[in-house]
Amino acid sequence: MSGLLGRLGSWCAWHGRAVLALWVAAAVLLTAGSVFFPGPTSNDTSIPGTDAQRALDLMKEGFGSEYRTGGTFQMVLYSPDGALTAKSRKRAVERAVEQVRDVPNVAEVKTPYRIGGLAPSLEIGLITVKLKEGDSATRSETTKLVSEAVEPVRQAGIEAVPADSSNPADKEIKTGTSEIIGIVCALLVLLLAFGTLVAAMIPIFVALISIATGLGVISLLGHLLDVPKQASIMATMIGLGVGIDYALFLLSRHRKLLADGLPVHEAVRRVVASSGGAVVFAGGTVIIALSALLLAGFPLLQTLGWITGISVVAAVFTSVTLVPALLGLLGHRVNALRLPFVGRRGSHGSSGWTGLGLWVARRPWTVLALSVALLGALAAPALAMKLGTLDDGYSDRGTDTRRAYELLEAGFGPGMNGPLVVVADLDVRVVDREPAPAVLQLFKDRVADVDGVAHVTDPVLNKGGTAALLQAIPDYAPADPRALEVVEAVRALDVPGAQVHVGGKVAGMADAGDRIAGRTPLVVGVVILLSALLLLLAFRSPVVAIKAALMNLVSLGAAFGALSLVFSLGLGSGLVGMDPPVSTDGSYLSTIFFTVPIDSYIPLMLFAILFGLSMDYEVFLLTAVRQAYLRHGDNRRAVAEGLGSTGRVITSAALIMVAVFVAFIAYPDPMVKIFGVGLAVAIAVDATIIRGLLVPATMVLLGRLNWWCPPWLDRILPNLSVEGHEEEDEEEKPEPRRELVGAGHAS
């Protein structure tokens, strides 16, 4: 593989202008296409085979579009100066309702003055808007027009806020400020690492081209496939981090070869042949981990996984083609515009890391014990992680979503933000028959008698008389664990002549949690197995492959521990920008310490992403150690040299990735904040404690066993040569000991 990559890198360097023009054209065209012809995003959070999905399917059978997902939405009205029933305010509301009826795609409008439309205080009411058929883009546009149409109530001093009754996963996530902050932080780290403005700008430019290309593809895919609204933000987070990191690894190696006196194009060829192979394998582990989410059994998570992988594929391709093209075009000008007093150490900057490697090599047992103790302490809080439904009550304060949530809770109770959709699948056709009223009344009474149900609506029969539907309002907010108990209690009801199914936000997330919990061992096992297999192909060492997989699990434990500490235990959730929920008297709880539930699909998504990203640093470190070992055969020295040659660049790469993920913590969406905290902590722990201490200590203790391979396995493994060591004019390496390494091939 190294030979193929070397030829590719050399060709790109000699044809730099053409390669650069092609990538820029692709990025511009795809971005323009996504802007002028954006693909629709999907609201599909269905989970085939679950009770909530059965309820949703029954809702589509003759109940009308208003009972389908996205079929209705509400405007919440709040009159702080008196009751909405006052004559002047009622006139304003009725005038607004008439204007809403004239909005395109509106089928029906219900005023607040119907039964159940006004809160007991009479200060809060609901305008319910029934929509005609349409996609998510049509719904979004209609919501905007309706919000403008209710201007008469605002002129009367009444607050009007659109309430989004859809699943939190349906919310559109837009990007912008967080990416800019991440890029600025990355540029500062690159300036400190390289000391020249030109070199620092190369990874930034490559990452931007990569992201523009990946996001353009993802947006256009919306015309063919169901693309979740979270796809763009997840692709941006991961694509920006790996795009900069991969270019950084190649550029660092190239500058060292130039400093050693190699011609520009020869240096580019060797860089892509050696470090380019590491980039391909590192990207491959990320893609494998994300693709394993296809086994999760949750369509939203499955699609998020492989679509996010598109950004990683774009990062790999730009790294092995666009980076060598730029290096070939710039030549020695890659070191131009040097900053004073920055980056002067050049190739000697690795001495400190080499010293750390030697220090670890002298006392591996001590370092191992300290590392395990520290990582155990970081991972311990993970045992207290609390999964639940992340409802709109944790949205950014000041947003319409959060304001509507608070008004609904204040006026109608906390359960109004997570109503249960209860559907009775009737055993016989009951329309126009005597038993119909009795069955429907029994259905309503049984649901109303469940502990924790505050209110139920009258049941509605579908056109075929095969199912009945009602809404049950719990006493508890969607994020309250007791709401899940209400769901289970309603599902357990025995209604003669009917089979009860429960759908809605709370029921759907409960089913998602159960499905994911059942599939988690399978996903984790596949990710570990395939990643270890990829490392085995890369380094031809079973010990290295198994050890790398275990090390990555350790860093994941630390990440989950941090999530639990911040969110499940509430020790500083306010410090990451989370807004506390409102207490029953309307006041805000503690602004710093309060617990936040973590959606059940987040840990598994984090596992896949972090496992892949952590493997990046493992590949780069092992590549350097392997190359050193093949030169002189001294394991301790190879570990020290490998850490010395990669320590600075891995640290710089980790700082960039941490900066990018921390920048996303400032994003107002709670889900993005949780991902930002988990990713930032995991990368920081992985690049310091694990790659700087734990991995070197274990490699010193294992000695030549690091590179042991049974002869039979060595013979059947393909010859991929990820290190590309044959490309370099190094001193002659000693003959490998065949009793330990089998045939002795690593390439």
Side-chain angles (χ1 to χ4, degrees), residues 243-591:
I244 294 176
D245 276 12
Y246 294 165
L248 168 64
F249 285 117
L250 295 174
L251 182 58
S252 298
R253 180 64 176 157
H254 178 71
R255 293 177 78 234
K256 182 180 183 302
L257 292 178
L258 288 183
D260 291 340
L262 267 70
V264 171
H265 288 83
E266 176 62 17
V268 172
R269 186 184 69 84
R270 293 192 182 187
V271 164
V272 181
S274 56
S275 298
V279 165
V280 171
F281 271 87
T285 59
V286 181
I287 295 168
I288 284 175
L290 290 171
S291 299
L293 293 174
L294 292 171
L295 303 173
F298 186 17
L300 173 68
L301 195 57
Q302 294 170 329
T303 310
L304 270 179
W306 70 263
I307 285 185
T308 303
I310 292 175
S311 64
V312 182
V313 173
V316 171
F317 275 109
T318 52
S319 296
V320 297
T321 57
L322 182 56
V323 169
L326 294 174
L327 296 180
L329 285 172
L330 290 171
H332 289 280
R333 288 172 296 176
V334 71
N335 292 318
L337 302 180
R338 181 172 292 279
L339 303 180
F341 312 112
V342 178
R344 293 290 182 181
R345 289 178 295 175
S347 60
H348 303 292
S350 64
S351 59
W353 289 99
T354 303
L356 175 62
L358 293 172
W359 181 82
V360 171
R362 288 194 294 268
R363 47 186 65 81
W365 285 110
T366 302
V367 173
L368 177 63
L370 289 175
S371 300
V372 170
L374 183 57
L375 291 169
L378 291 173
L383 298 174
M385 181 178 289
K386 297 177 182 177
L387 302 179
T389 301
L390 191 61
D391 62 33
D392 293 339
Y394 294 95
S395 298
D396 201 33
R397 193 182 302 167
T399 61
D400 286 345
T401 300
R402 175 67 175 267
R403 182 58 178 160
Y405 182 97
E406 293 172 352
L407 290 174
L408 287 173
E409 183 175 49
F412 300 93
M416 190 66 175
N417 286 294
L420 308 182
V421 180
V422 188
V423 185
D425 189 3
L426 303 175
D427 294 340
V428 294
R429 179 181 172 88
V430 298
V431 115
D432 297 331
R433 293 193 180 183
E434 186 63 28
V439 172
L440 297 184
Q441 187 61 45
L442 179 62
F443 172 42
K444 178 181 178 180
D445 292 343
R446 290 286 174 89
V447 175
D449 289 341
V450 172
D451 289 339
V453 172
H455 172 71
V456 296
T457 62
D458 289 329
V460 177
L461 197 65
N462 70 355
K463 293 179 181 179
T466 58
L469 177 151
L470 60 79
Q471 277 197 339
I473 309 300
D475 288 322
Y476 315 110
D480 193 320
R482 292 173 293 183
L484 299 179
E485 298 175 4
V486 176
V487 171
E488 295 304 320
V490 175
R491 283 176 172 170
L493 288 176
D494 181 17
V495 179
Q499 179 67 43
V500 176
H501 304 279
V502 182
K505 180 190 307 182
V506 178
M509 293 309 294
D511 289 345
D514 293 340
R515 173 67 61 84
I516 291 171
R519 296 289 185 91
T520 293
L522 175 63
V523 175
V524 171
V526 169
V527 169
I528 293 174
L529 179 62
L530 292 181
S531 299
L533 179 60
L534 193 62
L535 280 180
L536 178 62
L537 294 174
F539 298 105
R540 310 178 73 86
S541 169
V543 174
V544 162
I546 295 172
K547 179 174 65 66
L550 294 177
M551 294 295 180
N552 286 349
L553 290 177
V554 172
S555 65
L556 281 164
F560 290 154
L563 286 181
S564 182
L565 195 67
V566 173
F567 299 105
S568 296
L569 299 178
L571 300 180
S573 47
L575 297 177
V576 298
M578 294 290 289
D579 290 314
V582 180
S583 62
T584 53
D585 62 1
S587 61
Y588 289 102
L589 300 178
S590 168
T591 58

Side-chain angles (χ1 to χ4, degrees), residues 696-728:
T698 55
M699 293 192 76
V700 169
L701 291 172
L702 288 170
R704 289 181 290 113
L705 285 174
N706 286 304
W707 312 115
W708 169 76
C709 183
W712 63 269
L713 182 60
D714 187 73
R715 286 191 298 270
I716 65 175
L717 288 176
N719 198 1
L720 297 181
S721 180
V722 65
E723 303 98 335
H725 59 274
E726 73 279 2
E727 296 287 340
E728 304 191 29

Side-chain angles (χ1 to χ4, degrees), residues 11 40 42 57 86 146 148 173 231 270 277 323 379 411 471 477 547 604:
W11 188 91
S42 172
D57 292 340
V146 169
E148 294 172 354
I173 299 178
R270 293 192 182 187
V323 169
Q471 277 197 339
K547 179 174 65 66
L604 192 58

